[in-house]
Amino acid sequence: MDLRIFTEPQQGATYDTLLTVAKATEDLGFDAFFRSDHYLKMGNVDGLPGPTDAWITLAGLARETKRIRLGTLMTAGTFRLPGVLAIQVAQVDQMSGGRVELGLGAGWFEEEHSAYGIPFPKEKFGRLEEQLEIVTGLWQTKVGNTFDFHGRFYDLTDSPALPKPAQEKIPVLIGGHGATRTPRLAARYADEFNIPFASIEDSERQFGRVRAAAEEAGRRADDLVYSNALVVCVGRDDAEVARRAAAIGREVDELKANGLAGSPAEVVDKIGKYAEIGSRRIYLQVLDLDDLDHLELISAEVQSQLA
């Protein structure tokens, strides 16, 4: 079971804070540092000092880290044109020495689009499908050849399809709860399928849909990695768990029901239940980015038991 650190910087974080967390992620032996792609805070936080851009952040971290994988859960398809996104991700992959992964989603948070003048189209899923075809097609085009695409939403003619990533293939993550179109899209384009903030039962049901869609598309179901994203709140005792829950404005019972919360033993046990239904990777949503002792505890007493 891989454990990855997943941050939500729109809730309030500077680049320096994210760099500190990324370096701790690397030093403590976690597999990867991922971040959300949002420009507006959510809920009862001030969001100060304001948003940071996902791919600019990852470009900086690419030069400041050496081992960990770097990526997004999920890049919003509404924020970037697919040709530009292919260039950005390939460049960051080169800057990192081949450690980038691209999570790409349709985009959903209408208010952040209004706040920053970003168009919010009604037909987002069809755009996402074309974006995936374009981004992966540009990367797969051999040097010296050109790439063309003529779709409903995007039109590319005689693209040199440059630059190329450092990796032969950048892993693509697709995720979500959709019962039909999402599994079909994952079966066609994804190296990893991620379901965010879902119960064991719902995760098992959705993994089953994706596995069936993969086989229908002519792929082996096990060709994909199956993963979860879950909020994390671990403490050595009840008081420490309660303190960490209060720091992120959550209730302990709710966190235990909907995430990974409690003692290290409780969290290891619950991760084991996700492993039993096929999850091979957990993205730990860390909401208090100043609490590095939390990461140290998870590394020492949770991750060590999963090795």
Side-chain angles (χ1 to χ4, degrees), residues 16 21 26 45-46 50 96 117 170 236 255 272 285 289 295 303:
D16 286 340
V21 174
E26 186 157 87
V45 297
D46 59 26
S96 72
I170 289 180
R236 295 174 181 84
L255 287 169
Q285 186 196 42
L289 299 182
L295 298 185
Q303 182 172 242

Side-chain angles (χ1 to χ4, degrees), residues 12 14 49 67 92 105 169 213:
T14 65
R67 176 189 61 80
V92 178
K169 187 181 191 309

Side-chain angles (χ1 to χ4, degrees), residues 198-213:
S199 67
I200 294 164
E201 295 75 19
D202 288 345
S203 297
E204 184 175 26
R205 187 177 304 111
Q206 187 69 336
F207 288 164
R209 292 178 182 131
V210 174
R211 295 176 70 89

Side-chain angles (χ1 to χ4, degrees), residues 174-255:
I174 294 173
H177 297 261
T180 305
R181 294 194 297 176
T182 296
R184 177 180 57 78
L185 208 58
R188 183 173 179 187
Y189 294 106
D191 300 283
E192 177 177 338
F193 179 78
N194 177 269
I195 185 165
F197 315 118
S199 67
I200 294 164
E201 295 75 19
D202 288 345
S203 297
E204 184 175 26
R205 187 177 304 111
Q206 187 69 336
F207 288 164
R209 292 178 182 131
V210 174
R211 295 176 70 89
E215 291 174 352
E216 187 176 338
R219 296 180 67 181
R220 293 175 58 252
D222 289 339
D223 285 347
L224 284 81
V225 173
Y226 299 86
S227 65
N228 289 85
L230 295 161
V231 64
V232 66
C233 181
V234 186
R236 295 174 181 84
D237 53 36
D238 289 347
E240 192 168 80
V241 175
R243 174 176 63 79
R244 289 200 162 108
I248 60 174
R250 303 278 285 269
E251 298 292 332
V252 172
D253 288 345
E254 179 268 322
L255 287 169

